[in-house]
Amino acid sequence: MFLGINGSELLVLAILAVVILGPEKLPEYAAQLARLVKELRRMATGAKEQLREEVGDDIVDMDWKKLDPRQYDPRRIIKEALLDDLDDVVSAVKEPAAVQQRPVATAQVTRLAPNEPAPFDVEAT
């Protein structure tokens, strides 16, 4: 609840509160603090319920640890992406329907006569 405050620091704060506020007003301020904490808890619970009503029960079933940015490792993400592509290629090769025999077109080859210059395209260079 108290972020970054250990037991000795909390004790020092309590002693300072007793000295500054005095023993007469301390119970009154403690009661106000208790009411404030109760009100904040009530508001937080109301916000949770309102969110659950608006979003639905899907929010309850969501795995929030998967969305934690601290767990992302770029090396693992790249490895998984590369392996996924490899799995697709392997499955495509293993399926006989995926490999189709295509007829190979044979080109007509004309031989040049001896001492005949090769064709040259001026626009291509």
Side-chain angles (χ1 to χ4, degrees):
M1 184 174 166
F2 297 105
L3 300 175
I5 298 178
N6 58 22
S8 62
E9 291 174 350
L10 187 62
L11 183 64
V12 170
L13 288 174
I15 291 171
L16 281 173
V18 169
V19 171
I20 293 172
L21 298 175
E24 297 86 24
K25 292 187 178 182
L26 192 60
E28 179 183 330
Y29 285 117
Q32 286 180 358
L33 180 63
R35 283 194 299 272
L36 176 68
V37 169
K38 286 179 184 178
E39 183 67 23
L40 288 175
R41 283 186 183 171
R42 186 189 62 77
M43 288 172 56
T45 304
K48 274 194 227 177
E49 291 300 322
Q50 183 179 3
L51 182 66
R52 185 172 286 131
E53 288 174 6
E54 290 178 4
V55 176
D57 289 333
D58 296 338
I59 197 81
V60 175
D61 298 334
M62 184 174 270
D63 185 16
W64 293 102
K65 290 182 181 179
K66 291 168 94 177
L67 301 176
D68 185 12
R70 292 174 291 183
Q71 59 97 19
Y72 290 125
D73 181 18
R75 293 171 293 193
R76 183 183 51 82
I77 294 171
I78 291 171
K79 181 180 175 184
E80 287 176 359
L82 291 175
L83 289 178
D84 286 346
D85 292 343
L86 184 62
D87 291 340
D88 294 341
V89 170
V90 169
S91 65
V93 170
K94 285 184 178 180
E95 294 176 9
V99 178
Q100 297 177 355
Q101 298 275 338
R102 294 184 198 161
V104 178
T106 57
Q108 294 278 337
V109 178
T110 57
R111 301 255 178 211
L112 296 175
N115 297 328
E116 182 181 354
F120 182 72
D121 189 5
V122 179
E123 295 175 0
T125 57

